[in-house]
């Protein structure tokens, strides 16, 4: 059994006894077999000495037990790392930043405390999965939707606290933005409630997020000042109907008005999540003629691209628009969207989907993009099979997720910058002149890429880690920063947020030292290390 | 429009090495388990994308085990069936599937006190032979070794999975089929055979 760093064997044994007193012997895990379950399944450091591993895990059943466990950890200066359902694959899983930390596994805290479908909110514990909340709503026939990520086995609280995102409507997709009020256990064991929750007997904890005074909720997201044990979320009133329409624009430069108009529609609340693509840049290797075009020195011109598209009677860019509401509202918003495109982009075309009324039939459910209508699922894991696109699948992936502006100019610039970066790295590019950003964020794009992870090819992992680090720097040089990353890269990403001699990190460290002087909670999370480890790393 | 699935496929297809989401488990040793009788399986899972898995399911059905079919997505089975059953108490399940279903079910099982106690990979080699690498309870693996070399290996795997005796010792074995398999063309992925059983059976 490993011992947490900086902890004597005697203190460790005493702490384990006290953890056991707090939660019961069956909820303290120290065997190799049990703690192996907390390895990051997609670790970019898999099998290397630097892989982040845990020493033990403790699973409390409520805020009071969390408080007891934290007090024990604080007494013996034991580093702890809270997880909810531990499914943060691609961004670190359930592994800590600091090897030897004790995982505080909150899966047993799986109570849905309240769902209100008149005022449209929920209050949940961290072990509640999206599936659980969805089931709670369905079994009671409540008229609200959740917004869930893909896959849906994660936790609303865990996802929100890592700034996770979903698929439906506006701000609901930004899961931390849609939270309202939280309860957290601080490093000294104190339990604090934020927003209206600070008012004993408050009636609007999950509705009015500010309460009174400075707002501190953000310090708990991607942070390490406490363990969140409850959280409220605003929910979307269940719409009556849903329809999609794919708008296609003919010319390469039409990307600029395309995105401008979609922004206008989305920010006005008329559409849900837009999904961009290029009809020219389908997946897989480009056809020979396009491959030749792309090999030209300096790349193809706009005219080349337009000619290529015209010859194939294809558009240059497309966007699937999603409309929610009553059938009348959906029809009106769709008509308005078409008017806007037709007024600005010559040659825009539309392909309308079927108007779906809820509840859906089984046949409709089978073909709808489930997360777009608030239904959690696991289908994304069925892509592991070999295909022509994916002939020798390997072991996982690591997301590189820079945030770029929501403009056509920014997308074209990101394409150029990252294609150049891959060329300089001597690697095949993950980006093409047709790559489009992910749109989970409401007010920004994520120009996301997936680096492969291998459990057997250490050299490949090392190359990809080096490339990842280089892309972080390249992105920062262009004003783009990652919104989220695995522990192995959190120092590098935080270092890129360096305005005024890293003033933000210095502020985080000041707060960390004040609230968690022993540095027990999630040391190193988001690059924020406690004082005693900061010195060692300097 | 691309789905997230297509997006990931595409992103990974053009990356340095093609990759898939789920971990591709090696046939690492499974943990030793306490001696007791074989676990009656709640059901077995058949991956309908593979004719081998279908043959496996037919044999399991003949042996009286309920079959759940999937084309890779476990959502319906998980949400409408297994998650409710495991809430009432852990029960063993088995399968011969591609990687995704096992990846998900194993992790979901961890949260309900279950572990993989038998794991096999069945991989088509360039020669067309099938290589079976299995780890699990010693007596079962030892007994099954010879049968796996034949063309009817999916039926033998069904018998191995459905009658998996849970014993204290585990072992690993690798067997190569004696003849190339003509059905290899329909294999979408390396298949995995598995049993997920209650952790209570583990040696403390």
């Amino acid at each position: 059994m490993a011992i947490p760093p900086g902890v004597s064997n005697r203190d460790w044994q005493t702490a384990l006894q006290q953890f056991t007193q707090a939660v019961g012997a069956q909820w303290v895990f120290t065997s190799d077999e049990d703690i192996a379950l907390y390895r990051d399944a997609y670790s970019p450091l898999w099998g290397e000495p630097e892989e982040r591993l845990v020493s033990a895990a403790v699973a409390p059943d409520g805020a009071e037990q969390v408080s007891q466990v934290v007090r024990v950890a604080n007494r013996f200066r034991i580093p702890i790392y809270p997880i909810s359902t531990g499914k943060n694959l691609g961004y670190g899983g359930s592994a800590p930043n600091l090897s030897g930390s004790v995982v505080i596994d909150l899966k047993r805290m799986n109570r849905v405390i309240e769902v209100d479908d008149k005022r449209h909110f929920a209050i949940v514990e961290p072990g509640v999965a999206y599936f659980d909340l969805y089931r709670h709503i369905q079994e009671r026939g409540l008229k609200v939707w959740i917004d869930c990520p893909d896959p849906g086995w994660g936790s609303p609280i865990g996802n929100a606290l890592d700034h996770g995102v979903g698929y439906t409507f506006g701000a609901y997709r930004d899961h931390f933005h849609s939270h309202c009020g939280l309860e957290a256990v601080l490093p000294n064991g104190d339990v604090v409630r934020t927003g209206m929750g600070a008012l004993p007997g408050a009636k609007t904890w999950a509705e009015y997020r500010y309460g009174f005074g400075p707002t501190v909720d953000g310090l708990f997201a991607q942070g390490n000042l406490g363990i969140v044990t409850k959280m409220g979320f605003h929910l979307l009133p269940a719409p009556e109907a849903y329809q999609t329409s794919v708008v296609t624009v003919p010319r390469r430069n039409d990307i600029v008005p395309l995105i401008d108009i979609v922004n206008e529609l989305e920010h006005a609340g008329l559409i849900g999540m837009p999904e961009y693509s290029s009809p020219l840049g389908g997946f897989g290797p480009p056809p020979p003629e396009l491959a030749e075009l792309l090999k030209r020195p300096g790349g193809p011109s706009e005219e080349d691209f337009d000619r290529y598209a015209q010859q194939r009677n294809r558009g240059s860019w497309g966007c699937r628009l999603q409309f929610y509401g009553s059938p009348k509202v959906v029809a009106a918003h769709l008509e308005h969207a078409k008017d806007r495109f037709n007024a600005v982009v010559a040659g825009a075309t539309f392909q309308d989907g079927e108007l779906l009324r809820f509840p859906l039939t089984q046949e409709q459910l089978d073909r709808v993009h489930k997360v777009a209508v608030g239904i959690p699922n696991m289908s994304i894991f069925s892509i592991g099979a070999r295909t022509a696109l994916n002939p020798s699948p390997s072991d996982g992936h690591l997301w590189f997720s820079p945030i770029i502006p929501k403009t056509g100019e920014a997308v074209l610039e990101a394409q150029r910058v990252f294609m150049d970066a891959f060329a300089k790295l001597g690697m095949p590019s993950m980006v093409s002149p047709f790559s489009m950003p992910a749109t989970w964020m409401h007010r920004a794009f994520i120009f996301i890429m997936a680096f492969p992870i291998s459990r057997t090819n250490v050299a490949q992992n090392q190359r990809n880690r080096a490339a990842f680090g280089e892309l972080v720097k390249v992105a920062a040089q262009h004003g783009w920063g990652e919104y989220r990353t695995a522990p192995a890269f959190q120092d590098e990403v935080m270092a890129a947020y360096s305005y005024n001699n890293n003033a933000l990190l210095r502020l985080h460290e000041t707060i960390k030292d004040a609230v968690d002087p022993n540095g027990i909670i999630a040391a190193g999370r988001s690059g924020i290390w406690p004082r005693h480890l900061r010195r060692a790393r300097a | 429009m691309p789905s997230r699935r297509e997006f990931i496929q595409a992103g990974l297809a053009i990356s340095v090495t093609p990759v898939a989401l789920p971990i591709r488990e090696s046939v690492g040793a499974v943990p030793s388990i306490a001696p007791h009788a074989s676990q009656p399986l709640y059901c077995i899972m058949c991956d309908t994308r593979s004719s081998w898995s279908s043959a496996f399911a037919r044999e399991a059905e003949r042996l009286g085990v309920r079959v759940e079919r999937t084309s890779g997505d476990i959502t319906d089975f998980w949400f409408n069936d297994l998650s409710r059953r495991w809430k009432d108490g852990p029960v063993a399940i088995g399968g011969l599937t591609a990687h995704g279903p096992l990846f998900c079910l194993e992790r979901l099982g961890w949260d309900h006190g279950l572990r993989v106690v038998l794991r096999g990979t069945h991989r088509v080699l360039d020669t067309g032979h099938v290589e079976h690498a299995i780890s699990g309870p010693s007596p079962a693996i030892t007994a099954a070794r010879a049968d796996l070399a034949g063309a009817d290996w999916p039926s033998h795997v069904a018998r191995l999975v459905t009658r998996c005796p849970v014993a204290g010792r585990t072992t690993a074995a690798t067997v190569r089929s004696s003849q190339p398999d003509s059905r290899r063309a329909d294999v979408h992925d390396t298949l995995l055979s598995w049993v997920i059983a209650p952790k209570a059976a583990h040696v403390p």
Side-chain angles (χ1 to χ4, degrees), chain B residues 41 56 59-60 62-63 118 140 144 147 152-165:
Chain B
L41 294 183
F56 162 86
E59 178 64 9
R62 193 186 67 77
L63 294 169
L118 180 144
D147 296 331
D152 194 26
W153 65 265
S155 298
H156 291 289
V157 170
R159 290 193 278 280
L160 173 63
V161 165
T162 56
R163 295 171 177 169
C164 179

Side-chain angles (χ1 to χ4, degrees), chain B residues 12-13 26 76 89 91 100 112 118 134-135 137 161 163 174 189 196:
Chain B
L12 299 177
S26 63
D76 283 345
V91 288
H112 292 80
L118 180 144
I134 299 194
S135 172
V161 165
R163 295 171 177 169
T174 300
D189 200 356
I196 300 174

Side-chain angles (χ1 to χ4, degrees), chain A residues 86-341:
Chain A
K87 303 294 195 299
N88 196 17
L89 296 173
Y91 290 114
S94 50
N97 294 67
L98 178 67
S99 268
S101 297
V102 174
V103 161
I104 308 301
D105 185 337
L106 304 174
K107 284 191 207 77
R108 294 176 67 210
M109 297 173 59
N110 59 0
R111 288 165 281 257
V112 175
I113 293 163
E114 186 176 3
V115 177
D116 190 306
D117 70 347
K118 303 293 187 294
R119 292 143 69 199
H120 309 121
F121 68 82
I123 302 175
V124 296
E125 290 187 328
V128 170
Y130 285 98
F131 278 119
D132 300 324
L133 183 54
Y134 178 74
R135 189 194 302 282
H136 180 99
I137 289 167
Q138 293 300 307
E139 287 180 347
R140 289 159 182 77
L142 301 175
K143 303 294 183 192
V144 282
W145 277 17
I146 62 169
D147 183 286
C148 52
D150 194 4
W153 60 358
S155 146
I157 288 184
N159 191 268
L161 291 178
D162 206 27
H163 295 164
V165 282
Y167 285 82
T168 65
F169 213 85
Y172 295 100
R173 297 203 307 272
D174 178 342
H175 293 159
F176 189 74
H177 182 93
S178 70
H179 102 279
C180 187
L182 59 81
E183 175 187 271
V185 176
L186 300 179
N188 62 3
D190 249 4
V191 179
V192 65
R193 289 183 173 182
T194 67
M196 293 305 295
L199 181 77
K203 303 292 193 293
T204 53
W205 189 17
E207 292 164 277
Y208 181 63
R209 57 169 57 93
Y210 304 121
F212 185 74
T215 306
V216 297
D217 294 38
L219 295 171
F220 296 94
Q222 296 190 350
N224 51 11
L225 297 181
I227 297 178
V228 175
T229 49
K230 289 184 187 67
M231 210 160 164
F233 290 95
H234 291 171
L235 299 178
L236 178 67
E240 286 179 50
Y242 166 77
Q243 187 172 11
T244 63
S245 181
V246 177
V247 55
T248 304
V249 295
R251 292 163 296 273
R252 187 161 177 84
N253 273 346
D254 289 338
I255 190 174
V256 174
L258 172 70
I259 291 176
D260 287 348
I261 296 169
V262 171
N263 286 350
E264 176 191 304
L265 297 171
E266 190 185 11
H267 299 170
L270 304 183
I271 59 171
M273 188 176 98
E275 294 177 28
Y276 293 99
S277 70
S278 171
L280 298 180
F283 298 119
E289 194 176 339
L290 181 57
E292 281 305 308
L293 206 57
L294 296 176
K295 278 186 203 162
R296 283 193 185 173
S301 67
E302 287 160 17
E303 292 74 20
D304 291 333
F305 279 125
D306 288 346
R307 200 175 309 113
Y308 182 83
Q310 206 169 15
Q311 285 166 353
R312 280 151 190 80
N313 198 27
R314 288 190 212 164
S316 288
W317 308 104
C319 183
R320 179 160 50 199
L321 311 172
Q322 304 189 87
F323 299 88
Y324 300 83
S326 72
K328 278 185 182 175
V329 166
V330 166
H333 287 179
L334 176 54
E335 184 183 356
H336 172 73
K338 288 180 178 179
D339 287 347
R340 290 293 296 126
F341 286 111

Side-chain angles (χ1 to χ4, degrees), chain B residues 6-136:
Chain B
E6 292 163 331
F7 169 78
I8 291 171
Q9 282 275 26
L12 299 177
I14 59 175
S15 61
V16 181
T17 301
V19 69
L21 272 171
I23 296 295
R24 319 199 57 72
E25 309 284 358
S26 63
V27 63
V30 297
S32 293
I33 39 191
H36 68 83
S38 62
Q39 288 276 334
L41 294 183
Y42 177 62
C43 67
I44 62 103
M45 177 157 274
C46 165
D47 194 322
T48 56
R49 296 169 295 182
S50 161
S51 63
W52 283 333
S53 185
S54 297
F56 162 86
R58 280 193 296 275
E59 178 64 9
E61 221 156 23
R62 193 186 67 77
L63 294 169
V65 180
R66 182 166 73 87
V67 175
E68 277 291 329
R69 290 180 168 79
T70 179
S71 57
D73 181 2
I74 64 149
T75 304
D76 283 345
F77 173 54
W78 169 247
F79 187 73
N80 296 314
D81 186 341
L82 190 62
S83 60
R84 296 173 191 274
R85 182 62 191 81
W86 277 354
K87 257 185 189 161
D88 292 338
V91 288
I93 58 173
L96 179 66
T97 65
H99 210 84
L102 173 58
F103 181 80
C104 297
L105 291 169
E106 178 176 13
R107 277 154 183 78
L108 292 166
W110 292 348
D111 299 340
H112 292 80
L114 297 104
R115 300 286 186 273
V116 170
V117 298
L118 180 144
R119 188 194 307 271
T121 61
H122 310 275
R123 188 167 64 96
V124 182
L125 306 175
D126 291 341
T127 58
H129 293 80
V130 182
E131 185 179 81
H132 311 277
I134 299 194
S135 172

Side-chain angles (χ1 to χ4, degrees), chain A residues 33-77:
Chain A
E33 182 205 335
D34 285 332
I35 63 174
L37 308 185
Y38 296 98
R39 291 178 80 173
D40 174 11
Y42 292 0
S43 173
L45 298 160
W46 187 271
E48 295 185 63
E50 297 80 12
E51 186 184 349
R52 316 297 164 90
L53 302 171
V54 311
S55 58
V58 178
D61 188 32
E64 178 54 35
Q65 287 190 3
V66 173
S67 174
Q68 291 176 48
V69 168
V70 168
R71 285 176 202 272
V72 172
N74 202 32
R75 190 174 308 134
F76 295 102
R77 302 191 175 202

